[in-house]
Amino acid sequence: MPFPRMRTFLSVALAGAGLLVPGCAHPSVGSDRDDPAKPVTLRFWHGWSNAGEVKAIEDSVARFEKLHPNITVKVIGNVTDETVNQVLRAGGDEAPDVVSSFTTNNVGQYCSSGMWADLDPFMRKTGVDKEKVFPKTFLEYTSYEGRQCALPLLADAYGLYYNKDAFKEAGIARPPRTMSELRRAAVKLTRRTGDGSYERVGIMPNFRFYENSPDRLFAQWGPAYFDRQGKARLAEDPRTKEFFATQRALIRAQGGYAALERFRATFGDEMSSQNAFLTQKVAMHMDGEWRGLMLKDQKAKFGWGTAPMPVPDDRADTYGRGCLTGTVAGIAHSSRHQNAAWELVRFLTVNTDQVVRFANAIHNVPSTKAALKSPELDTDPTFRTFLDIARNPYSTAIPPSVNGGQYIVTLRDFAYDVEAGKVPDLDRGLRGLDAQIDADNLQSQN
């Protein structure tokens, strides 16, 4: 079933069941007194919709049920965060026990609202030492203000995909490692037709292009979005202006914002066979580890490789870093079977064999220290680039916030204006950006 129809179908079904009820701002209270050894049926909601990913989830659940024959898991996929949040507020017998989300940006909201249960007591009861199991950055994006309400369920790392044939044609020996190298390579790789329009750009730097959300590229500078008091500090951080200056220089070097936007309008859908990298309209682009599997499945007609994204010239020693994010899993606070639910969460997130098999199946980065070192992982070097990025000590994830990912949306909208030349005074604009982020955070606390 196509993704939009599946989402509509699910929303209608839930509404019919009386689950999409607005109102109650506080989560229903569940129970952590259940006996996980007794027969029970759990409800597990997730967001995957691709056939291969859905099968990987089904296979994972089958392995779990084989280990726990007393627990039956009913799975519903292709569920949005909005739907999950509505249902958890409403409660009811059909609400999920185990939930997952692709949006790490929202972890601060999950934890501060109390809708996702604190997992630390369950880890203590079952002897899971989270600092030994999970990489530090992964723990940071699954917790908020000391509350571990989620655990990583595989991870995503962003790196550089590049067209090896185009590189050879342009006489470029290796992928760029610094931002100045990236700019020079982009110019060399750009090709125009006889009338001056683009045939191919070296890289599409515009923020509306596919995975080019500004926070992902900004990760190469290692920014600090907030101070210790939780106040936005983008305006006072010189890295912010460096980031925008670098992105605008990439735009100017390849013909300007308007020309690039016109060319971008000719690109096909990101997840289709008309993806701009696959059709060789861009020679380099930033993307996640999953893209490699798609390029193989779609039989790309050119040689391609992967590398870490370039870093600022004055931070060349941090090369290898990247933006990290991923899927998270947790227990609904309203679940009356929280100990049994923990057994499923623990299996999906902690069990090394399960994490490795799931990572290989959907071509995502494993999210435990042991799984990252497993010899059973896919040995393809284009995939292992992303494992190295995930292990790099300079790699970062965006910090959680009480209002979820709203501050990233605010940054993105501001970045759209900057690249389009609508922010004549960047310093003033950044001060306004900080003020807006702080106002949004304050409003969400009231």
Side-chain angles (χ1 to χ4, degrees):
M1 190 176 293
F3 180 84
R5 283 189 59 201
M6 182 65 167
R7 178 176 292 177
T8 302
F9 172 81
L10 180 62
S11 297
V12 170
L14 293 172
L19 291 177
L20 298 188
V21 180
C24 181
H26 301 286
S28 301
V29 177
S31 172
D32 61 358
R33 303 298 178 186
D34 62 297
D35 183 350
K38 289 187 175 180
V40 65
T41 296
L42 298 177
R43 292 171 177 82
F44 172 34
W45 288 14
H46 66 80
W48 282 285
S49 59
N50 174 273
E53 295 168 338
V54 170
K55 183 180 185 305
I57 282 287
E58 292 172 349
D59 290 345
S60 298
V61 168
R63 289 192 288 270
F64 171 78
E65 290 179 332
K66 186 175 181 179
L67 289 174
H68 299 268
N70 63 300
I71 301 178
T72 300
V73 182
K74 294 179 66 175
V75 182
I76 295 182
N78 196 20
V79 186
T80 66
D81 283 7
E82 181 182 5
T83 297
V84 170
N85 289 341
Q86 287 177 318
V87 171
L88 292 187
R89 288 190 185 98
D93 291 340
E94 298 301 314
D97 299 284
V98 175
V99 285
S100 72
S101 168
F102 297 147
T103 315
T104 57
N105 303 6
N106 288 337
V107 167
Q109 205 169 46
Y110 304 149
C111 293
S112 61
S113 69
M115 287 190 295
W116 288 34
D118 186 357
L119 299 181
D120 277 322
F122 298 97
M123 286 188 276
R124 284 194 293 268
K125 282 194 293 186
T126 54
V128 175
D129 187 334
K130 62 183 181 181
E131 280 81 12
K132 290 183 179 179
V133 174
F134 301 102
K136 181 175 180 290
T137 303
F138 295 179
L139 285 176
E140 289 173 353
Y141 73 61
T142 52
S143 64
Y144 181 68
E145 293 187 342
R147 184 180 176 88
Q148 192 77 49
C149 72
L151 288 176
L153 177 58
L154 303 191
D156 295 319
Y158 285 88
L160 182 75
Y161 284 80
Y162 65 100
N163 184 322
K164 288 185 173 182
D165 294 353
F167 267 57
K168 184 177 181 180
E169 173 193 327
I172 304 173
R174 59 165 175 77
R177 296 176 183 172
T178 65
M179 291 297 170
S180 62
E181 288 183 359
L182 177 65
R183 186 176 66 252
R184 290 193 294 270
V187 172
K188 284 186 177 182
L189 291 161
T190 297
R191 292 287 180 270
R192 295 181 181 269
T193 61
D195 63 2
S197 59
Y198 294 108
E199 178 182 316
R200 179 185 73 207
V201 292
I203 191 167
M204 176 56 73
N206 297 17
F207 288 130
R208 285 182 170 86
F209 174 60
Y210 295 169
E211 297 294 323
N212 280 11
S213 179
D215 54 292
R216 292 169 188 155
L217 182 59
F218 199 13
Q220 300 309 104
W221 278 259
Y225 287 85
F226 303 101
D227 62 20
R228 292 183 178 180
Q229 286 71 48
K231 298 291 186 180
R233 60 180 305 275
L234 292 171
E236 67 185 62
D237 189 341
R239 290 172 291 190
T240 310
K241 288 193 286 186
E242 292 173 14
F243 159 63
F244 281 115
T246 298
Q247 191 255 3
R248 288 185 292 181
L250 274 170
I251 290 173
R252 287 194 302 270
Q254 294 177 99
Y257 174 76
L260 288 171
E261 277 294 281
R262 284 193 296 272
F263 189 50
R264 188 181 66 83
T266 71
F267 295 173
D269 182 77
E270 177 185 0
M271 297 300 176
S272 76
S273 61
Q274 296 304 303
N275 175 285
F277 183 69
L278 186 63
T279 57
Q280 303 189 67
K281 287 188 173 183
V282 295
M284 300 180 288
H285 79 130
M286 178 175 62
D287 212 334
E289 73 289 336
W290 63 84
R291 180 63 55 191
L293 185 60
M294 292 182 178
L295 290 170
K296 291 174 184 176
D297 289 345
Q298 293 165 327
K299 296 180 173 56
K301 297 178 180 178
F302 56 93
W304 57 273
T306 60
M309 283 295 293
V311 295
D313 289 48
D314 61 351
R315 297 173 179 83
D317 60 318
T318 67
Y319 179 69
R321 77 188 310 167
C323 177
L324 301 179
T325 181
T327 304
V328 300
I331 299 172
H333 189 269
S334 58
S335 170
R336 294 193 291 271
H337 314 291
Q338 291 180 10
N339 287 310
W342 166 244
E343 292 302 321
L344 177 57
V345 171
R346 178 165 65 146
F347 174 76
L348 293 174
T349 63
V350 178
N351 183 290
T352 301
D353 179 67
Q354 162 59 23
V355 172
V356 170
R357 292 174 72 171
F358 191 31
N360 285 340
I362 69 171
H363 216 64
N364 278 188
V365 173
S367 43
T368 68
K369 293 178 180 178
L372 280 165
K373 298 176 182 176
S374 172
E376 301 302 317
L377 276 176
D378 188 338
T379 58
D380 180 352
T382 61
F383 176 60
R384 289 199 166 259
T385 294
F386 297 94
L387 303 184
D388 292 338
I389 293 171
R391 288 189 287 251
N392 189 288
Y394 292 105
S395 292
T396 58
I398 66 165
S401 169
V402 67
N403 71 351
Q406 179 57 46
Y407 75 97
I408 296 300
V409 175
T410 304
L411 170 64
R412 182 196 64 196
D413 292 343
F414 177 76
Y416 290 163
D417 286 343
V418 172
E419 68 179 359
K422 297 178 180 179
V423 183
D425 186 337
L426 185 58
D427 286 315
R428 181 178 180 182
L430 288 171
R431 290 194 295 272
L433 174 64
D434 280 348
Q436 184 63 56
I437 291 172
D438 288 340
D440 291 342
N441 283 341
L442 182 63
Q443 183 178 7
S444 67
Q445 294 171 341
N446 293 334

